[in-house]
Amino acid sequence: MPVKTPPSGIAHIWLLAKYELTKRFTNKSGMLALIAFMLIWGILLLYPIKSASEFIMQPNFKEFTEALFGPGSLQHLFEWPVPEFAVFWLAALYLFPMFSIFIAADQFSSDKQRGSLRFLTLRVSRSSLFFGRFIGQMLIQFALIILTLLATIVMVISRDISLLLPSLTTSLIVMVNLVIVLLPYTAVMAVLSLHANSARQASIFAVILWAIVSIIIAIINFQFPQLNGLSMILPGSQISSMINTQGLGSLAFAPIPLVQTVIILGLGNVLMKRSAL
């Protein structure tokens, strides 16, 4: 009789990640959150993004921005092959991280309150549980990014069908960038949810953490200007610099969130192993 080998740690991580994804899009609360998310982005696409993209195409707007912010300050914004994606880029860089704080806030807090984390750790290692939940949350956000990009592509080709190919290539670059940007945010929420009693509390912790760290960094930079690179420890520190980028050039900032994610996940894994569940 053949002996069945137990699933490996990687298999456990993947199974947990898939479960997180299916749970989000099959239960009632997850579906309501998805509907709310799509309604918000539908409104943004139909009104601010569509209207702003039409405004960007006007030559007077470029002259206005140069007079307001200085020559070349937003030059790459006007180099986007599809104006709708230029505006989408501006909105997504700030809105998706905000959504991430709330979407990924309940990675462990509810299960910890119910006591089900102890039950899960009897069957999988704590590391597998930690990384499985993290990857599952990233898959959820990846699906949301794809949905919003597809909606933007539909809006673009409804205006000009010849922009289909540029839209596809641009959306691919935007998708990769947004996933990388969201990695440290999701990692931070994984760590905070280990110590929070609810998803709401984890979100509040995140807001307080960002505010306190931002104030401390601002004070240090004011006293010691040579330490201005200290801001890179905070997730999202590169976003303001990414605005004036276009195409593959935007990936130049990818190392910052990737390094942040590795450090945060390493810390979170250690805390997961030592936490009382």
Side-chain angles (χ1 to χ4, degrees), residues 1-274:
M1 183 176 179
V3 179
K4 292 184 177 179
T5 57
S8 64
I10 295 177
H12 280 150
I13 291 173
W14 181 238
L15 287 172
L16 288 164
K18 288 195 297 183
Y19 175 72
E20 284 294 298
L21 180 63
T22 55
K23 182 179 71 174
R24 173 67 69 172
F25 294 115
T26 54
N27 63 24
K28 184 178 179 181
S29 60
M31 290 301 297
L32 288 174
L34 176 62
I35 292 171
F37 178 86
M38 295 308 298
L39 286 174
I40 291 172
W41 270 100
I43 294 171
L44 289 173
L45 288 173
L46 290 176
Y47 296 101
I49 293 179
K50 184 178 181 181
S51 301
S53 62
E54 293 173 352
F55 196 56
I56 280 179
M57 290 186 287
Q58 302 296 326
N60 293 335
F61 181 73
K62 184 176 181 179
E63 296 175 2
F64 172 75
T65 57
E66 288 182 347
L68 186 64
F69 300 104
S73 56
L74 295 176
Q75 61 177 354
H76 294 295
L77 187 65
F78 300 95
E79 296 174 359
W80 284 70
V82 183
E84 286 84 352
F85 274 102
V87 184
F88 178 91
W89 175 249
L90 292 174
L93 279 177
Y94 287 102
L95 291 180
F96 267 103
M98 292 175 58
F99 287 135
S100 181
I101 290 174
F102 297 100
I103 292 172
D106 194 18
Q107 296 184 51
F108 301 104
S109 53
S110 295
D111 285 333
K112 189 178 70 172
Q113 284 298 102
R114 292 192 296 262
S116 54
L117 276 182
R118 294 191 187 96
F119 173 78
L120 289 170
T121 53
L122 293 175
R123 287 154 176 79
V124 297
S125 68
R126 292 192 177 201
S127 293
S128 296
L129 181 59
F130 181 78
F131 290 110
R133 289 284 176 87
F134 167 77
I135 294 174
Q137 292 298 320
M138 285 305 306
L139 289 175
I140 292 169
Q141 295 174 86
F142 178 66
L144 295 177
I145 290 171
I146 290 178
L147 287 174
T148 55
L149 288 172
L150 288 175
T152 308
I153 291 173
V154 171
M155 184 178 69
V156 171
I157 61 176
S158 66
R159 177 175 66 85
D160 188 350
I161 189 64
S162 65
L163 294 175
L164 176 60
L165 184 58
S167 295
L168 292 174
T169 55
T170 302
S171 62
L172 180 61
I173 296 173
V174 171
M175 179 190 70
V176 173
N177 273 288
L178 288 179
V179 170
I180 293 174
V181 166
L182 295 181
L183 284 171
Y185 286 91
T186 309
V188 168
M189 296 314 298
V191 175
L192 293 178
S193 65
L194 280 172
H195 302 281
N197 295 323
S198 65
R200 179 179 297 178
Q201 191 178 70
S203 300
I204 293 172
F205 284 168
V207 173
I208 294 173
L209 175 66
W210 256 274
I212 292 175
V213 174
S214 298
I215 292 171
I216 292 173
I217 291 175
I219 293 173
I220 294 175
N221 287 339
F222 180 77
Q223 296 292 332
F224 307 98
Q226 64 272 23
L227 297 178
N228 57 2
L230 193 63
S231 61
M232 290 186 181
I233 67 173
L234 191 67
S237 58
Q238 80 288 356
I239 287 178
S240 59
S241 300
M242 292 178 68
I243 291 176
N244 190 30
T245 59
Q246 189 271 328
L248 295 175
S250 55
L251 292 172
F253 296 93
I256 298 174
L258 291 175
V259 172
Q260 291 171 343
T261 303
V262 171
I263 295 173
I264 296 168
L265 288 179
L267 175 63
N269 187 37
V270 172
L271 293 175
M272 181 71 173
K273 291 179 178 178
R274 297 182 178 180

